[in-house]
């Protein structure tokens, strides 16, 4: 009996404990709900209640995504006069390399990677250096003669400067050649000397009186020092920072604490050097040899951020060549996918934010020189957003909603100033940016559903409402630009967007009413460089022709995107009727022949689709044949496709 009573008592206590825990959970849940309601209504919470203080933190957690301005709208743009936020480094940081020795296998030699490809040129360069030294010595003698004629005060200042310079050792070509030979054998001591000299050339222009162990005065020594210092960096570091089988985070390796300051100094000076470079070939060389070292950046958040900012700055630099900007983009992509932080996460979120914000900052103006740069940036950014579609959706959702909020605010205020904030190249280019991203990530040819498909509808809505915001004749170029953007979106994704009404609206505009067009000698209107029509073009006959041609091409391109759809006849019939209506209104004008041709081609293509779909049996429950309709047909072999091909050839001729 005693054992039974004991068991029943334990069971009772367990049940009682469960009941107490359950009541506490319900009580806590009720308190959370109360606090949430108070927060929503703006009612103050009693600060003296300890329980409510404890529950305040979990109450702030919400299932809906909260936009943090600090996270999504942080500054990745570097101003011209801005100094990089890098921790200061000292020459003493490199003393850690003294504790490491050469680790070299029988077949390990950096020369195999091309470090000494120019060995044959060294002899001739040495001879040239000797001649230069003789020439420099003669010049020094002449300068000394001139200095004797100057004032005594200036002589004293120059003597002091010479004394300071004498403290640093001049790096000669022979000295550097000896260092490179040792670094070729993976000598940390030799690389230390090269880093000291490299640091002196990078930071030589700083206003602070920094003392350096070495100084470089020869351009040939300068070029070889940069080349060799970067080339031996990864082979030497990888010899002493090696990973275990499972661990891929450099911060957990054996020698990382000893070499951390060395790596910080190396990257600090590489980043400063990269920012100031103006030669395309040197920038590409630096990026190429920094690429394998970027895995160490994950352990250095501060350095990583500045490295990414400098890469984004050079990527958007109009002064650099297309090839160099592409090299910068590849470096951004490699860094964002290779480097991992202490939480074992990559830097892709930072790259996605930075690449969009820098693009938005650079797209404020559009001209002949910036247009190809903006287009290249859009294409490369879209490629980066394909790496992680789920993460890309999170970022796109935030930024597209931001654009929608700006548009809603402008519609609500409905003032000229609010319209000006929307009808800018920056706003329109951002719409182009996300259309380009969706076109790549939601391509049906990939055969996979992307989370980015959820962004299609809000983006299209923003574009269409932007078109309707201020539909005046002067802003026709902006509407044409967005119609072209949406047409490209249809062509890439297969989504249907009703653009025909916006194109037919152009034919009904005041531009084609009456015969008031004047023949004025003006340059051809470039639709890709204007959002607003200059007043000098408004009454010009050439502009009227240009408007008709861009509307005509827009109609052809729009219906060409739907040319292989099984529903093409139903979509084309209203357009054909509308074009026939305009034929009657435009009798006697120079546009009748083109409209009549388009009507004939659209009717021919409609009949072609009706003939092809006649034998197909499909119902709402059996759409396989309808979805596979003309999937293997080449569009150029169809009537409308052949017409489009010939028109493109006429333009290019």
């Amino acid at each position: 009996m005693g054992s039974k009573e004991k068991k029943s008592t334990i069971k009772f206590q367990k049940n009682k404990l469960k009941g107490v825990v359950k009541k506490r959970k319900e009580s806590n849940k009720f308190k959370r709900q109360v606090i949430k309601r108070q927060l929503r209504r703006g009612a103050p919470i009693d600060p003296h209640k300890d329980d409510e203080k404890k529950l305040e933190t979990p109450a702030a957690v919400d299932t809906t995504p909260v936009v943090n301005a600090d996270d999504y709208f942080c500054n990745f743009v570097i101003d011209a006069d801005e100094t990089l936020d890098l921790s200061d480094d000292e020459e003493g940081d490199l003393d850690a390399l003294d504790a490491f020795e050469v680790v070299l296998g029988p077949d390990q030699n950096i020369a195999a990677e091309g470090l000494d490809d120019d060995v044959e040129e060294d002899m001739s360069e040495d001879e040239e250096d000797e001649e230069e030294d003789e020439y420099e010595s003669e010049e020094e003698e002449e300068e000394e003669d001139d200095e004797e004629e100057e004032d005594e005060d200036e002589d004293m200042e120059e003597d002091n400067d010479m004394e300071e310079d004498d403290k640093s050792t001049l790096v000669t070509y022979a000295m550097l050649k000896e260092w490179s030979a040792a670094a070729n054998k993976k000598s940390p001591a030799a690389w230390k000397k090269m880093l000291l000299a490299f640091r002196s050339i990078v930071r030589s222009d700083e206003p602070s009186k920094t003392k350096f162990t070495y100084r470089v005065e020869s351009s040939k020594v300068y070029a070889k020092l940069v080349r060799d210092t970067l080339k031996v960096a990864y082979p030497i570091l990888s010899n002493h920072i090696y990973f275990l089988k499972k661990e891929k985070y450099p911060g957990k390796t054996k020698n990382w604490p000893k070499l951390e300051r060395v790596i910080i100094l190396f990257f600090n000076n590489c980043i400063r050097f990269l920012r100031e470079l103006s030669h395309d070939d040197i920038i590409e060389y630096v990026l190429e040899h920094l690429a394998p070292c970027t895995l160490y950046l994950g352990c250095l958040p501060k350095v990583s951020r500045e490295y990414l900012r400098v890469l984004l700055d050079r990527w958007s630099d109009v002064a650099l060549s297309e090839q160099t900007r592409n090299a910068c983009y590849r470096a951004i992509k490699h860094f964002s996918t290779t480097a991992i932080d202490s939480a074992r996460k990559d830097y892709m979120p930072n790259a996605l934010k930075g690449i969009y914000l820098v693009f938005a900052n650079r797209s404020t103006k559009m001209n002949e020189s910036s247009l190809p740069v903006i287009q290249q940036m859009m294409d490369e950014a879209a490629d980066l957003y394909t790496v992680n579609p789920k993460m890309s959706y999170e970022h796109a959702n935030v930024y597209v909603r931001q654009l929608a909020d700006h548009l809603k605010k402008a519609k609500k205020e409905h003032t000229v100033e609010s319209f000006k904030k929307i009808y800018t190249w920056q706003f329109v280019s951002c719409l182009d940016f996300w259309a380009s991203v969706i076109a790549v990530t939601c391509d049906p040819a990939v055969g996979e559903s992307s989370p980015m498909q959820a962004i299609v509808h809000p983006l299209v809505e923003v574009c269409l409402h932007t078109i309707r915001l201020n539909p005046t004749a002067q802003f026709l170029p902006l509407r044409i630009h967005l119609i072209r953007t949406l047409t490209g979106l249809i062509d890439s994704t297969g989504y249907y967007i009703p653009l025909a009404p916006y194109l037919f609206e152009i034919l009904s505009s005041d531009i084609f009413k009456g015969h008031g067009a004047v023949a004025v000698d003006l340059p051809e209107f470039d639709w890709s460089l204007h959002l607003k029509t200059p007043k000098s073009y408004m009454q010009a006959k050439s502009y009227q022709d240009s408007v008709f041609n861009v509307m005509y091409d827009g109609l052809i391109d729009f219906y060409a995107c739907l040319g292989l759809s099984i529903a093409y006849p139903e979509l084309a019939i209203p357009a054909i009727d509308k074009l026939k209506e305009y034929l009657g209104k435009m009798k006697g004008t120079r546009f009748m022949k083109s409209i009549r041709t388009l009507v004939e081609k659209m009717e021919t293509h409609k009949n072609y689709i009706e003939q092809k779909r006649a034998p197909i049996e499909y119902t709402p429950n059996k759409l396989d044949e309808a979805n596979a309709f003309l999937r293997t047909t080449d569009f150029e072999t169809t009537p409308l496709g052949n017409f489009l091909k010939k028109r493109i050839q006429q333009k290019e001729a």
Side-chain angles (χ1 to χ4, degrees), residues 356-357 359-361 363 374 378 399-400 402-403 424-437 459 463 481-482 485:
Y356 170 69
L357 295 175
F359 171 85
N361 182 267
S363 58
I374 297 297
M378 270 197 297
Y399 294 126
V400 172
Q402 184 205 26
L403 296 174
T424 61
W425 272 117
Q426 188 176 43
F427 189 88
V428 173
S429 296
C430 288
L431 295 178
D432 291 342
F433 180 94
W434 293 116
S436 177
V437 170
L459 179 66
C463 290
H481 186 96
L482 291 178
T485 299

Side-chain angles (χ1 to χ4, degrees), residues 132 279 381 530:
E132 285 185 358
H279 298 286
H530 292 86

